[in-house]
Amino acid sequence: IILLLNIQSWTKADDIRDFEIEGISIGDNLFDHFTEKDFEYAKKTSGIFYYKDNKFVELLFYNHSKFKIYDGVKITWKNSDKNYKIFSVTGIIYFRNNYDKCKVKREEVIKDIENFLPNIINTGNEKINFREADSFALVTDLVINAPYEEIRVYCSNWSDIQENKGAWDALNIVINHPEFAKFMEDPH
């Protein structure tokens, strides 16, 4: 099994910043990992996603030559932050129309994380329905330090209609800064 989530120091992994995806950690500067040219290309091809109240923004870097494990990496930062401090990093592996294979890989990743971090709390599986008919995600949060310090592992399962529009089934491994995780759970 390829470990899909790197931990900088297994013996001291007690903070969300100890984890990285493709060498990227929470708190890093986006431009420590991507050039201005990479940024502009991602904006052109993926578009910037604005979260509620435009507080946070997200950009997908897809099929970048520096990626060794993931097909894409999403980076989230505060819209007002000109330093581009990373508040969330997501590694994505696409499973075009193969949700079952995604679920198998998802379970392997969860077991790997639990084996390396025996004190992590697995919140169990939650099915979250998307607005699109017959589309959903199977989500597990692995809590490091409660509350809001967690790794989220999920498979998205898109309907055939959505897959034909380019929304492919995918394994997502998400590392969120506690401030961003709390923001995402706030219903307002």
Side-chain angles (χ1 to χ4, degrees):
I1 296 174
I2 296 173
L3 183 63
L4 298 177
L5 181 72
N6 296 324
I7 299 181
Q8 295 168 1
S9 171
W10 291 110
T11 58
K12 285 185 62 183
D14 56 0
D15 186 283
I16 202 71
R17 292 169 296 202
D18 293 333
F19 298 88
E20 58 185 34
I21 290 177
E22 296 289 3
I24 305 166
S25 297
I26 298 302
D28 289 357
N29 178 299
L30 181 144
F31 289 105
D32 289 342
H33 301 283
F34 300 100
T35 66
E36 184 71 36
K37 185 178 176 183
D38 294 334
F39 184 82
E40 292 303 321
Y41 182 76
K43 277 179 29 180
K44 180 181 173 185
T45 57
S46 300
I48 290 183
F49 176 79
Y50 292 86
Y51 284 92
K52 58 187 172 189
D53 300 328
N54 291 334
K55 183 173 181 177
F56 289 95
V57 293
E58 179 177 87
L59 184 59
L60 170 64
F61 294 84
Y62 176 70
N63 204 20
H64 194 282
S65 61
K66 76 178 256 167
F67 298 159
K68 295 182 179 17
I69 297 171
Y70 297 94
D71 298 315
V73 174
K74 284 191 227 174
I75 303 292
T76 304
W77 67 95
K78 284 186 177 178
N79 192 22
S80 61
D81 181 12
K82 301 305 175 202
N83 293 317
Y84 294 87
K85 175 184 170 186
I86 296 171
F87 276 79
S88 179
V89 58
T90 302
I92 304 167
I93 299 175
Y94 293 106
F95 292 87
R96 289 187 181 188
N97 216 9
N98 198 339
Y99 178 70
D100 289 336
K101 189 173 177 183
C102 184
K103 285 192 313 184
V104 169
K105 184 54 97 175
R106 176 185 169 277
E107 290 304 316
E108 290 173 2
V109 169
I110 290 169
K111 290 224 181 294
D112 278 351
I113 295 169
E114 289 174 331
N115 286 337
F116 286 111
L117 299 168
N119 293 329
I120 203 161
I121 299 166
N122 182 328
T123 63
N125 297 328
E126 178 183 5
K127 182 178 177 183
I128 298 174
N129 292 313
F130 297 146
R131 290 181 190 159
E132 294 79 12
D134 299 324
S135 300
F136 62 91
L138 183 60
V139 178
T140 297
D141 290 326
L142 301 167
V143 179
I144 300 163
N145 293 315
Y148 304 114
E149 195 162 292
E150 62 198 21
I151 299 167
R152 174 167 277 191
V153 182
Y154 70 94
C155 280
S156 53
N157 184 2
W158 294 97
S159 68
D160 289 341
I161 292 169
Q162 294 302 317
E163 288 253 349
N164 290 334
K165 293 179 181 179
W168 305 323
D169 296 345
L171 173 65
N172 294 260
I173 302 170
V174 186
I175 306 169
N176 287 329
H177 185 281
E179 181 180 346
F180 182 66
K182 185 175 181 184
F183 169 81
M184 290 299 292
E185 289 188 16
D186 184 2
H188 297 65

